[in-house]
Amino acid sequence: MFDLSPILDCNGRPLKLDRPRVMGIVNVTPDSFSDGGAHDSVEAAVAHALRLAEEGADLLDVGGESTRPGAGEVSVEEELRRTIPVIERLARETPLPISIDTSKPEVMRAAVAAGAGLINDVYALRREGALDAAAGLGVPVVLMHMQGEPRSMQREPVYDDVVAEVHRFLAERVFAAEMAGIAKKRIVVDPGFGFGKTLAHNLSLLAQLERFAELGVPLLAGLSRKRSIGELTGREDARERVHGSVAAHLIAAQRGAMLLRVHDVAATVDALKVWHAVAAQAVPRRA
Ligand SMILES: Nc1nc2ncc(COP(=O)(O)OP(=O)(O)O)nc2c(=O)[nH]1
């Protein structure tokens, strides 16, 4: 039987999407909402990333700018200073694909030159020059939906129909990326949980995640330790939201997400092993 699963070529490091894959989060920031400051030196970030690789991550997402609600901007120079040395080390010390979580074209270019093989952009390449930069770099891109800006996006997010509006936005960004010369096989989309959404909006998106399969590209879901998980479980401390995050990501996998962006890799990998074993069971056809 032929395996027609998509394979993302991440700068020579293949990522086969034959099953949900785990993207381990490496925030090299002093202020990320759940792990800010924990790994904001090169040594600490590299050690953390290698630990996530040990735990079974399929790729590593390096970010130098927090996009939590209320976050301010980080300069290009500062974002480069934080991320590039980490990517250079990881490119040497792990065979895993490395993604750069950035919206700045200069950071995209430097990161890919340093060994990153995927661009993860919460602004869906809407920043000046981002589309051309990503098209020129030839690596896969993640296009994520966000309503507003991190600074203000959670003040009062409103939609007529959140699923339809996020779907339409992502369809438009896929089209824009293709028009810029990014092949559809290099495009991943993401509804952007928590980016200008209330709990109700996030639940609607998760419940109707299968709708996004219509876009014809792989889907990434990132719910790890987010505020919605805290609201549902009553866990104020983001570090205590592992169980709720794993549940949400299993639901996302069940509804078609092929990439899961997580802090808690070991727990998610174990949960996916159970999920995959069952999913692989051939269900006898009823006579
Ligand atoms: N594609 C994608 N990228 C993302 N990058 C950052 C965050 C925010 O989460 P985190 O990195 O944990 O926090 P912070 O932005 O404070 O560093 N969420 C997503 C997401 O849901 N999807």
Side-chain angles (χ1 to χ4, degrees), residues 149-196:
E149 305 271 333
R151 203 190 320 275
S152 57
M153 65 187 174
Q154 287 307 112
R155 280 206 199 120
E156 201 180 314
V158 173
Y159 300 81
D160 292 331
D161 176 342
V162 62
V163 175
E165 291 172 54
V166 172
H167 188 283
R168 187 177 320 118
F169 171 89
L170 292 174
E172 286 166 0
R173 296 314 297 163
V174 168
F175 180 73
E178 288 190 275
M179 289 302 106
I182 300 173
K184 194 159 189 177
K185 68 179 179 10
R186 282 180 20 211
I187 298 174
V188 175
V189 292
D190 176 345
F193 290 102
F195 284 86

Side-chain angles (χ1 to χ4, degrees), residues 27 32-33 66-67 101 120 144 190 195 222 226 261 263:
N27 284 326
S32 285
F33 81 90
S66 170
T67 50
D101 187 347
N120 174 25
M144 192 197 82
D190 176 345
F195 284 86
K226 287 190 176 175
R261 183 176 179 279
H263 291 277

Side-chain angles (χ1 to χ4, degrees), residues 23 25 27 29 31-36 61 63 65-69 71 101 120-122 142-144 190-195 220-226 261 263:
M23 173 190 259
I25 299 171
N27 284 326
T29 60
D31 57 346
S32 285
F33 81 90
S34 83
D35 57 359
D61 188 38
E65 178 180 42
S66 170
T67 50
R68 77 191 183 293
D101 187 347
N120 174 25
D121 185 2
V122 299
V142 177
L143 307 175
M144 192 197 82
D190 176 345
F193 290 102
F195 284 86
L220 185 149
L223 293 121
S224 186
R225 302 186 182 179
K226 287 190 176 175
R261 183 176 179 279
H263 291 277

